[in-house]
């Protein structure tokens, strides 16, 4: 039996009014503008874009403001908005080899052509709170040097010639699209990458860390990490050619993994791949490690039974909007469900007591 | 439908790509300064939509869907005939309208004027922004030097 219960409208309305007031905070403190969030909390904006799966910094800033800084709530708002947009089409695959790099490092090749470019990184900071930021002040402009004009080549290019690293031959296969069809298992690498790039950073990080600690260990090095802008092109039917329709910031990570060879593959280095919207370095490294762990079958590796090798486990739990939707629904009214549980437990207790009484009587 | 076969696809690709990528306020500023107000009719009013961006596995392999971006597009015809298409990143109907008007005007006798007042300044602005970032990146390039270690013999 389902019993509909009415009431609570007034309470809900008042709760939302209070939410709006709490969101604003103390009114003697200046209100945040969207531009301030976009410019000064840009890594939060990037995370919302990556996991919301929509590149639009202004919308992500709005979502963060509306969600009071709760990034999963903000991602939820972006996902909901995304579904209202008509789909104009699919882009031409972006060429990360032509990226205008702000940052580009390799942990494997010191003298990589194009160099080790640190970019605006937290690395090598001392992680000491900087109390100067608590006071307002001018920031000195960053030093400049002669800019590089040529594109920075991918580091793996230099190894593929030797055949010592597994190749990624180009293809024009049409990938599946999670926003159109739900995930089915067994899956394939393009779908796994789509799922991981919009997956929860904390979850993907935890899964990646588990592989480093020994659950499906695959000895990853960061062959290359690059952050910068790439142009996005799309074919325009009315023109008959492709044009740039925008420019986005991406973080790309390629891991180089030790591989002793298997029944099907010779000893060589293998690769894991991470590509994420915005400056999202931790997420992109984690994505590459998990991608590599999930490739055990195609590389003929053993299934160690590790969680990070189980694509159904990983991909079914990576999405924080699905997860939070199911998790948080249990706080909503379940009065009727619970009433029947309550009656069941009372009945079981009664029966148990009766059995004890009968047993005592018999003795 | 092939339009305006006398204009090279490469040239049009360049200006349309620029109009799509420049910040909306820069585009609106440049357009206001150009003080042009051609008469036109809508073929497709501005609409905001999403484009699914693709990447490639390993940077070079099979395509996969990375996530969407917002795009605003429209099409219009000048009273004198030429058709302009506007595609801009993000959600700005006014920027898409300006992009379409510039695209159309670049196919007319006013092309030189529009190039001079809108396209060229925007191109310079984009290049300046880009090279300023590249210059800052270059300043963070590591210059390795090797310490010689070991016994003197």
């Amino acid at each position: 039996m389902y019993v509909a219960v009415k009431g609570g409208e007034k309470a809900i309305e008042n709760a939302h009014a209070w939410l709006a007031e709490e969101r604003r905070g103390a009114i003697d403190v200046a209100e945040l503008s969207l531009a301030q969030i976009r410019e000064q909390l840009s890594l939060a904006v990037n995370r919302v874009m990556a996991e919301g799966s929509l590149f639009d910094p202004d919308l992500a800033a709005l979502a963060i403001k509306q969600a009071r800084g709760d990034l999963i709530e903000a991602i939820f708002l972006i996902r909901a908005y995304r579904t209202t947009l008509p789909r104009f089409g699919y882009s031409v695959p972006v060429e990360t080899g032509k990226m205008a790099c702000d940052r580009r490092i390799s942990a494997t090749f010191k003298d990589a052509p194009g160099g080790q470019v640190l970019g605006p990184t937290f690395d090598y900071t001392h992680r000491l709170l900087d109390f100067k930021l608590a006071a307002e002040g001018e920031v000195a402009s960053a030093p400049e040097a002669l800019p590089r004009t040529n594109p920075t080549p991918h580091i793996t290019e230099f190894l593929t010639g030797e055949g010592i690293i597994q190749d990624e031959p180009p293809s024009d296969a049409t990938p599946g699209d999670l926003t159109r069809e739900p995930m089915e298992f067994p899956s394939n690498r393009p779908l796994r990458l789509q799922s991981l790039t919009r997956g929860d950073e904390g979850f993907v990080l935890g899964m990646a860390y588990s592989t480093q600690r020994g659950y499906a260990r695959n000895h990853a090095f960061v062959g290359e990490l690059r952050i910068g802008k790439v142009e996005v092109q799309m074919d325009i039917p009315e023109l008959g050619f492709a044009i740039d329709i925008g420019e986005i910031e991406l973080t790309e990570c390629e891991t180089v993994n030790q591989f002793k060879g298997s029944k099907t593959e010779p000893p060589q280095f293998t690769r894991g791949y991470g590509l994420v919207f915005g400056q999202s370095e931790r997420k992109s490294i984690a994505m590459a490690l998990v991608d590599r762990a999930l490739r055990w079958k195609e590389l003929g590796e053993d299934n160690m039974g590790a969680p990070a090798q189980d694509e159904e486990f990983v991909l079914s739990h990576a999405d924080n909007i699905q997860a939070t939707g199911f998790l948080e629904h249990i706080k909503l009214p379940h009065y009727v469900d619970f009433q029947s549980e309550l009656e069941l437990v009372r009945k079981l207790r009664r029966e148990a007591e009766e059995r004890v009484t009968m047993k005592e009587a018999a003795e | 439908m092939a339009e305006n076969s006398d204009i090279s696809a490469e040239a049009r690709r360049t200006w349309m790509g620029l109009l799509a990528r420049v910040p909306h306020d820069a585009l609106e500023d440049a357009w206001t300064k150009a003080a042009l107000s051609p008469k036109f009719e809508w073929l497709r009013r501005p609409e905001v939509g999403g484009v699914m961006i693709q990447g490639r596995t390993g940077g070079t392999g099979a395509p996969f869907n990375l996530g969407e971006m917002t795009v605003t597009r429209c099409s219009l015809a000048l009273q004198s005939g030429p058709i302009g298409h506007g595609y801009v990143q993000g959600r700005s109907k006014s920027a898409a309208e300006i992009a379409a008007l510039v695209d159309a005007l670049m196919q007319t006798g006013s092309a030189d004027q529009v190039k001079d007042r809108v396209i060229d300044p925007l191109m310079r602005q984009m290049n300046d922004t880009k090279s300023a970032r590249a210059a800052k990146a270059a300043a963070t390039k590591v210059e390795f030097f090797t310490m010689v270690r070991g016994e003197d013999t």
Side-chain angles (χ1 to χ4, degrees):
Chain A
M1 182 179 61
Y2 180 78
V3 185
V5 182
K6 280 183 70 86
E9 289 91 342
K10 193 68 199 163
I12 291 168
E13 205 176 289
N14 293 348
H16 291 169
W18 195 15
L19 167 66
E21 198 181 286
E22 290 284 299
R23 173 190 295 124
R24 175 60 184 84
I27 47 164
D28 55 343
V29 176
E31 186 178 351
L32 267 178
S33 71
L34 296 191
Q36 286 172 332
I37 297 173
R38 188 191 62 222
E39 299 300 316
Q40 296 173 36
L41 297 178
S42 52
L43 301 193
V45 166
N46 287 343
R47 183 167 178 189
V48 170
M49 293 196 298
E51 295 172 34
S53 203
L54 184 67
F55 195 99
D56 188 320
D58 293 313
L59 277 181
L62 171 62
I64 290 168
K65 181 172 180 175
Q66 187 178 334
R68 304 177 64 191
D70 178 340
L71 297 190
I72 291 185
E73 181 71 20
I75 291 159
F76 201 158
L77 294 169
I78 291 297
R79 290 276 187 94
Y81 174 82
R82 193 205 68 75
T83 61
T84 66
L85 289 175
R87 175 73 62 82
F88 288 168
Y90 290 80
S91 84
V92 174
V94 291
E95 290 193 50
T96 54
K98 290 190 179 162
M99 181 183 283
C101 297
D102 284 353
R103 172 165 166 79
R104 189 281 204 134
I105 52 166
S106 169
T108 51
F109 300 102
K110 178 167 76 72
D111 299 314
Q116 307 273 351
V117 176
L118 301 181
T121 180
F122 290 127
D123 291 354
Y124 316 109
T125 61
H126 296 101
R127 266 71 183 213
L128 298 173
L129 278 176
D130 180 0
F131 290 98
K132 287 199 296 294
L133 290 174
E136 285 170 35
E138 297 281 302
V139 178
S141 31
E144 297 189 356
L146 195 64
R148 185 183 166 81
T149 45
N150 295 329
T152 309
H154 274 127
I155 283 167
T156 41
E157 266 179 36
F158 305 106
L159 282 179
T160 40
E162 234 184 301
I164 202 162
I165 189 162
Q166 158 255 329
D167 197 12
E168 294 277 9
S171 100
D172 290 320
T174 305
D177 184 354
L178 283 181
T179 65
R180 292 293 154 101
E181 306 105 31
M183 180 73 92
E184 279 177 17
F185 301 104
S187 173
N188 53 55
R189 195 167 176 216
L191 276 175
R192 294 199 298 253
L193 291 175
Q194 185 181 8
S195 168
L196 290 173
T197 192
R198 74 212 294 258
D200 181 77
E201 179 171 317
F203 179 84
V204 179
L205 170 65
M207 278 290 142
Y209 182 43
S210 77
T211 70
Q212 291 187 296
R213 289 194 62 251
Y215 295 86
R217 191 171 172 78
N218 55 39
H219 305 273
F221 294 102
V222 172
E224 179 167 4
L225 180 76
R226 53 169 66 198
I227 301 175
K229 289 206 170 87
V230 297
E231 285 153 2
V232 182
Q233 288 199 343
M234 185 169 74
D235 282 314
I236 307 297
E238 55 267 36
L239 294 174
F241 54 81
I243 61 163
D244 290 339
I245 52 162
E247 191 175 56
I248 60 167
E249 187 184 38
L250 290 175
T251 303
E252 181 184 51
C253 174
E254 285 214 77
T255 55
V256 175
N257 300 65
Q258 195 189 90
F259 183 63
K260 295 193 179 74
S262 68
K263 282 174 216 126
T264 55
E265 300 289 328
Q268 59 181 331
F269 290 106
T270 55
R271 297 155 75 162
Y273 190 64
L275 187 65
V276 184
F277 281 164
Q279 183 175 338
S280 307
E281 188 163 309
R282 181 185 307 114
K283 168 76 173 286
S284 119
I285 300 171
M287 175 176 170
L289 261 61
V290 176
D291 169 49
R292 177 58 187 78
L294 290 171
R295 299 181 65 200
W296 64 273
K297 206 180 277 179
E298 74 182 89
L299 296 169
E301 289 176 325
D302 291 333
N303 181 4
M304 317 294 285
Q309 286 180 308
D310 183 340
E311 66 165 12
E312 189 164 347
F313 180 81
V314 174
L315 304 181
S316 303
H317 301 112
D319 192 289
N320 53 25
I321 300 311
Q322 281 173 8
T324 205
F326 199 67
L327 181 109
E328 293 199 50
H329 101 279
I330 63 173
K331 74 190 173 187
L332 300 176
H334 281 67
Y335 307 134
V336 179
D337 293 348
F338 189 69
Q339 190 65 35
S340 68
E341 298 264 318
L342 197 61
E343 274 165 25
L344 178 65
V345 174
R346 281 184 181 138
K347 180 164 168 269
L348 292 172
R349 282 178 68 103
R350 223 171 19 244
E351 286 168 2
E353 277 164 23
E354 278 165 14
R355 274 198 302 277
V356 174
T357 325
M358 278 162 67
K359 203 173 162 202
E360 282 169 1
E363 284 161 5
Chain B
M1 179 176 58
E3 296 166 3
N4 316 298
S5 48
D6 51 328
I7 289 163
S8 89
E10 196 46 49
R12 198 169 179 193
R13 191 201 313 266
T14 305
W15 76 61
M16 288 188 78
L18 174 75
L19 296 166
R21 287 177 295 139
V22 287
H24 301 154
D25 48 359
L27 180 59
E28 284 172 28
D29 275 0
W31 179 250
T32 311
K33 281 191 196 134
L36 298 159
S37 48
K39 293 208 163 59
F40 68 93
E41 271 179 37
W42 286 117
L43 299 177
R44 178 164 65 194
R45 286 181 180 276
E47 55 172 342
V48 178
V51 169
M52 177 59 87
I53 303 166
Q54 297 193 331
R56 288 186 183 279
T57 59
T60 55
F64 70 95
N65 292 307
L66 181 65
E68 287 166 290
M69 64 184 272
T70 47
V71 171
T72 310
R73 69 176 177 192
C74 65
S75 301
L76 49 80
L78 297 182
Q79 241 172 23
S80 54
I83 290 173
H85 301 294
Y87 276 83
V88 296
Q89 178 170 12
R91 297 155 298 113
S92 172
K93 292 182 177 179
S94 57
E97 180 182 327
I98 295 168
L101 283 169
V102 171
D103 179 44
L105 287 169
M106 286 296 286
Q107 303 166 52
T108 67
S110 320
D112 286 346
Q113 197 187 350
V114 175
K115 186 173 177 300
D116 215 44
R117 296 194 198 163
V118 183
I119 301 288
D120 289 349
L122 288 174
M123 187 69 91
R124 274 196 299 276
Q125 200 177 328
M126 280 287 279
N127 289 341
D128 288 352
T129 311
K130 204 169 173 176
S131 58
R133 281 198 88 82
K136 284 175 190 167
T140 68
K141 184 172 164 185
V142 180
E143 303 295 346
F144 288 104
F145 57 92
T146 308
M147 310 272 282
V148 180
R149 218 177 65 149
E151 292 85 41
D152 289 336
T153 48

